[in-house]
Structure formats: C-alpha cells, structure tokens
Amino acid sequence: MNKLAIKKIIISLLFILFSVVQIFPQEAGNDDLDSAIKILRKIDENKLTNEDKKNKSIEIDKAWEIIKSSGDAGLKRIKKELDIIEKTKESDDFFKLNASVLLWNMGNVSESAAISKIWNSTSFRANYRYVFYTAFDAASTQNEKVIPMLKAVLKDNSGRIYFPQHSMNFSWPLTVEFIWGAFGHKGLPALFDVLKNSKNDTEIMSAMHILVNAQYLEALPRIRELSSSKNAEVRNFAIKGIGIFGHPADSAFIIKGLKSKDADLYSYVWASYEYDDPKISPYLIPLLDNNDYNIKSEVIYALFNVINQESLDALVNDYKNTKDEKILKIYKKFMDPVLDYTKYENMTIDEKKVTVSEILSRKNDYYVLSDEDQKITYNDFIEMSKDWIKDKRITGEKYEWVQNRHVLSVATAKDIDLLLDVKASIYLRLSDECLNETRTIDNVIKILGRRRYRNN
C-alpha cells in the first residue's frame, strides 16, 4: 500500500472519529457525570456539622451544574441512578429529592410523572425545601400535567418552610395551601378526588383544608361523613369545615355537638363561630362556665360574633364576674371599644336593643355598602380582578378604597373561581405578608358560597 493510500485511510478514520465525537459528545463527560452523581449520593444532613453543610452545599451546587450542563445525558444518568436505587431497594431519600429538583430544572413539565413517582416513594424529611419549592414552581405553571406532583405533597404534614421577610416558619397545612393555592381553581376537582378516594388521613385533611376555603360545595356531603371518622384529627377538621360552609342543614349537627360536651367540644364551638347564626347562642351561653381556657375564649368569640340580646346579656354578666386575667384581656379587647359594661345593667330594654343594633351595624359595615360608599359595577369588578392578578396583590393605591363590601355588592358564587385565581396570583409573591390578602379573599368567598343557601 503506497503512502498516499495510507494517508487517505488515516484522514477517513479521523473524519469518522470526529463525527462520532460530534454525535455522542456526552461520552466524554461520563466520568464527570459519575463523579457528580457520587457527590449527591448518601448524604445525611443530620450527621453534618454546620461547617460540613457549607462545604457540602458548595459541592452539591457544582454537581448540579455538571449534570445540568450535560443536557439529555445528565437526565439519563439521573434516571439510571434512580433505577439502581429502586432495584436494590436502597434508602437514599436525600439523593432522590435532589434528583427531583434536577429533573424539574432540566425537564420541567415533561418530567412531572417521573418526579411524582419519586415523591410518592420518598420521605420528605430528608429535605422538605427541595419538595416545597419545586412543587410551588410546578403549581405556578397551572399546567394540569403537574397535578400528580401536587397530589404527592398532600401526604406530608411535617415539613416547614422559613420565610425570612418576618422570620417565620410555615408549617402544614399552610405549606400545602401555598402550593395548591398557586395552582388556582383548576385544581379543585383533583383535590375532591383525593377527598373521596384517599385512604391517607393527612392527604384527606390537606384536601379538605383547601376545598373548604374554596367553598367547593360538592365536597360537603363527604365532609359530613368524615365528621364521624374514627381518626380524631380528621373528625375535628371536618367539624370545623362544616362550620365554614355554614349550611342550614348542619345547624342541628353543631347544636348536638355543643350539648354533648365530648372531646370534640372545642371544634364544635370553633365551628359555631364560623357558622355565624344567632340561633346557636342559647347552646353556647352555658359553655361560658367551662373551665378550659381554649374553649371558653372561643365561646366568647362565637357569642360576640352572633350577638343578640341574650348573648350580650350573658357576656356582660360573665365579664363582670370573671377573675381570670386572660379572659378579662379578651373582654377588654372586644367589649370595651363598643360598650361600657358597668352601665349596661342600668340601661332600659330599648337602650339595650339599640346597643345590640349598633354592634351589629359595625359588623355589617364590613359586608354591606352604605349610601355614602363609592359604588362599583360588575364590569368594574372584572377589571379590578385582572389588575389584581397582574399585580399579584389586592392592595395598593389604585384600589386602596375597595373593601369586601364593594366586591360583595356585585359578585356572586359564580365568581368564586375568578377570586381563587386572584388568590393564586397573590401566593406567587411567596411571602407571609400575602396571607392577610388571601384571608380577605377567603372571607369574601365564604359569604358568596353561603349565598347559595343562606340570606346572610
């Protein structure tokens, strides 16, 4: 073979080799990928000192960069390692949660099935932050393909998230509320499915928490069933939920609970406050003699919320006779601004009626427009909602004057989905400060929901 022929062969081989490298560039990085995976494996944060955690965090960041920069090869390598763990039945929850974050960062919605599979087979205690922020990011897409991921987080009631704005730790069910809240109204049917079919008590309570605040009426029959659950926590969740729905058909249920004085008494009193019906007052008044501070304080709140002549007489009498400093503090906060109880006994019947009317009027001011109030149309409300969603808040100079009563003057139960989407946008601020706004929307939704079966 002459030199020219050999040269041509060498050039051809070099060309082939170059082509292979171009087609399979990831092969060159296999060692780096293996090293990156090794760094992420078998990490136990509980065994690390603070200094170790700092160093390990730097290593993890570098490993993530290597894997993410490898594209599809990195994805395949993660999944290969997950398969190894599954086949060997090895326990490495920290790695699996790490892997779920990487899968989301690299594949987003397309990896939701793989991530939900990881979360359904993994304890979140290894690193709840990985789960929360990934789930929250997924929820913010409002893409129905991520619902399996969101369902997987319903099982956990131990994870906490630290919000630095006001140095607050948020725990369950707020953690679940933020995640599912960010998804908006389209997630409610999936939660209802969990409520009906799940055998996991934490999942059931997580779903119930969100469905109740959304006034998802289809869930009420199932919640009534759960109010007799053998699990005390589930049972009490359901009792409180029935109070929030405030359906007239449930007044007898709440009254029976108030009379029973059993272990669930506090929940029935709590439900009475939310139920907000003066007809329940006669069954609350005897409980002012209860020696349990939590129960008695809730009775005071409930009676003051459903104020009438009978309940005000009872409250004034209890205020006058109580020696408990903590109870006196409650009365001073709620009673003193509206009534001088020392003068109440000397009032005529008509004067007492006027006092009750004035207290009720202050309460109604939150919900009913006065003649002096600026009015809005339904179209105004729709435009406001669009701006609220865009701005991720219901506060601010533009609509600073808008109160609950303005929205309630034009909105109906058909607008609950829209309000849930406004609420979803507020959660996207991911701050404890947004809770005042979400609670305001919850209260409006509660009233709109009740208008389907109550006049108030």
Side-chain angles (χ1 to χ4, degrees):
M1 186 180 293
N2 59 38
K3 290 183 179 180
L4 181 62
I6 292 172
K7 189 176 180 180
K8 287 181 178 179
I9 292 171
I10 291 171
I11 290 171
S12 298
L13 289 171
L14 286 172
F15 178 77
I16 293 169
L17 179 60
F18 178 75
S19 299
V20 169
V21 171
Q22 290 295 312
I23 296 170
F24 304 107
Q26 69 269 27
E27 293 300 327
N30 275 352
D31 289 343
D32 289 339
L33 278 174
D34 288 341
S35 297
I37 293 293
K38 188 175 181 181
I39 288 170
L40 300 178
R41 290 284 263 123
K42 299 179 181 178
I43 298 173
D44 187 347
E45 283 193 312
N46 295 323
K47 294 180 180 179
L48 301 178
T49 65
N50 288 335
E51 188 64 29
D52 290 337
K53 288 179 181 178
K54 290 179 183 177
N55 294 331
K56 181 57 70 174
S57 179
I58 294 170
E59 289 182 4
I60 290 172
D61 287 344
K62 289 180 179 177
W64 279 24
E65 285 306 312
I66 290 169
I67 294 168
K68 286 193 286 187
S69 65
S70 299
D72 287 342
L75 279 172
K76 289 177 182 176
R77 185 64 185 83
I78 293 168
K79 292 178 179 180
K80 177 183 176 182
E81 197 69 17
L82 289 168
D83 287 340
I84 291 171
I85 292 171
E86 184 174 1
K87 288 175 183 176
T88 59
K89 294 182 170 39
E90 189 180 347
S91 177
D92 195 346
D93 289 342
F94 193 92
F95 172 79
K96 291 168 73 177
L97 297 184
N98 250 296
S100 69
V101 180
L102 284 164
L103 289 174
W104 177 257
N105 288 344
M106 298 170 72
N108 207 261
V109 173
S110 64
E111 294 296 338
S112 58
I115 295 168
S116 61
K117 181 181 179 182
I118 293 170
W119 287 354
N120 283 323
S121 63
T122 308
S123 169
F124 294 166
R125 291 178 184 272
N127 195 322
Y128 185 72
R129 297 186 306 278
Y130 285 166
V131 176
F132 178 87
Y133 288 109
T134 302
F136 186 82
D137 197 29
S140 68
T141 68
Q142 296 188 355
N143 187 319
E144 294 184 7
K145 290 181 180 178
V146 306
I147 285 179
M149 288 174 60
L150 307 189
K151 279 187 172 182
V153 306
L154 296 171
K155 69 179 181 179
D156 183 86
N157 61 0
S158 61
R160 291 189 173 192
I161 291 297
Y162 177 73
F163 283 178
Q165 289 92 335
H166 298 109
S167 301
M168 291 180 67
N169 273 307
F170 274 22
S171 54
W172 177 88
L174 272 178
T175 46
V176 167
E177 179 183 322
F178 265 82
I179 292 168
W180 278 88
F183 194 82
H185 80 274
K186 291 190 296 183
L188 298 179
L191 287 165
F192 184 41
D193 180 66
V194 171
L195 186 73
K196 289 187 297 182
N197 299 309
S198 176
K199 304 300 180 185
N200 181 293
D201 289 334
T202 302
E203 286 183 351
I204 289 169
M205 289 185 289
S206 295
M208 203 187 320
H209 175 71
I210 300 156
L211 290 166
V212 165
N213 285 323
Q215 286 286 309
Y216 195 77
L217 193 54
E218 289 177 75
L220 183 54
R222 175 60 178 150
I223 292 171
R224 286 170 176 151
E225 292 174 2
L226 292 168
S227 69
S228 59
S229 169
K230 292 180 180 179
N231 181 305
E233 195 175 6
V234 172
R235 189 169 65 245
N236 284 276
F237 243 73
I239 292 167
K240 292 176 179 179
I242 288 171
I244 293 172
F245 271 107
H247 199 287
D250 293 312
S251 62
F253 166 79
I254 293 175
I255 289 169
K256 183 179 178 182
L258 292 173
K259 292 162 68 176
S260 68
K261 299 183 181 180
D262 60 16
D264 300 327
L265 179 58
Y266 174 82
S267 293
Y268 283 107
V269 177
W270 192 100
S272 299
Y273 173 90
E274 292 293 339
Y275 195 79
D276 192 7
D277 187 343
K279 294 176 185 175
I280 291 180
S281 292
Y283 307 97
L284 285 165
I285 290 170
L287 297 176
L288 284 170
D289 294 330
N290 197 286
N291 293 322
D292 185 308
Y293 168 77
N294 290 325
I295 291 175
K296 177 162 183 173
S297 60
E298 198 65 37
V299 169
I300 293 170
Y301 299 142
L303 283 171
F304 207 79
N305 194 44
V306 295
I307 204 77
N308 58 19
Q309 190 66 66
E310 187 179 9
S311 63
L312 186 56
D313 287 346
L315 287 168
V316 168
N317 184 61
D318 189 64
Y319 189 0
K320 182 177 66 176
N321 294 305
T322 189
K323 300 294 189 291
D324 188 322
E325 288 297 325
K326 291 194 295 183
I327 295 297
L328 283 171
K329 190 175 180 180
I330 295 173
Y331 278 124
K332 289 179 186 300
K333 180 178 179 180
F334 289 95
M335 187 82 79
D336 285 2
V338 297
L339 173 69
D340 183 348
Y341 81 94
T342 61
K343 298 178 180 179
Y344 182 78
E345 286 183 318
N346 296 323
M347 289 182 181
T348 65
I349 293 177
D350 287 340
E351 287 173 333
K352 289 181 178 180
K353 287 180 179 178
V354 170
T355 300
V356 171
S357 296
E358 288 175 348
I359 294 173
L360 284 173
S361 178
R362 288 188 182 93
K363 178 181 175 182
N364 291 334
D365 284 346
Y366 288 103
Y367 308 117
V368 181
L369 285 179
S370 69
D371 293 337
E372 293 77 29
D373 272 319
Q374 183 174 340
K375 306 300 189 293
I376 68 170
T377 65
Y378 183 74
N379 287 336
D380 290 334
F381 162 65
I382 297 299
E383 290 305 310
M384 287 174 183
S385 298
K386 290 177 182 178
D387 283 343
W388 288 334
I389 291 172
K390 177 171 62 72
D391 296 337
K392 300 182 177 63
R393 62 179 65 247
I394 57 173
T395 56
E397 292 183 7
K398 187 174 182 181
Y399 297 120
E400 189 175 6
W401 57 274
V402 178
Q403 303 295 321
N404 293 7
R405 59 185 180 272
H406 293 95
V407 175
L408 289 167
S409 70
V410 294
T412 69
K414 293 179 181 178
D415 298 304
I416 288 177
D417 284 352
L418 174 58
L419 287 167
L420 288 172
D421 289 343
V422 172
K423 188 178 166 188
S425 73
I426 294 170
Y427 282 120
L428 296 180
R429 283 155 48 197
L430 199 56
S431 163
D432 55 286
E433 67 173 9
C434 72
L435 284 177
N436 284 336
E437 295 170 55
T438 59
R439 291 295 172 261
T440 296
I441 294 175
D442 284 342
N443 199 34
V444 170
I445 288 174
K446 180 175 76 172
I447 295 170
L448 292 177
R450 288 177 170 195
R451 284 180 179 173
R452 292 171 289 190
Y453 40 76
R454 279 173 63 163
N455 293 327
N456 59 336

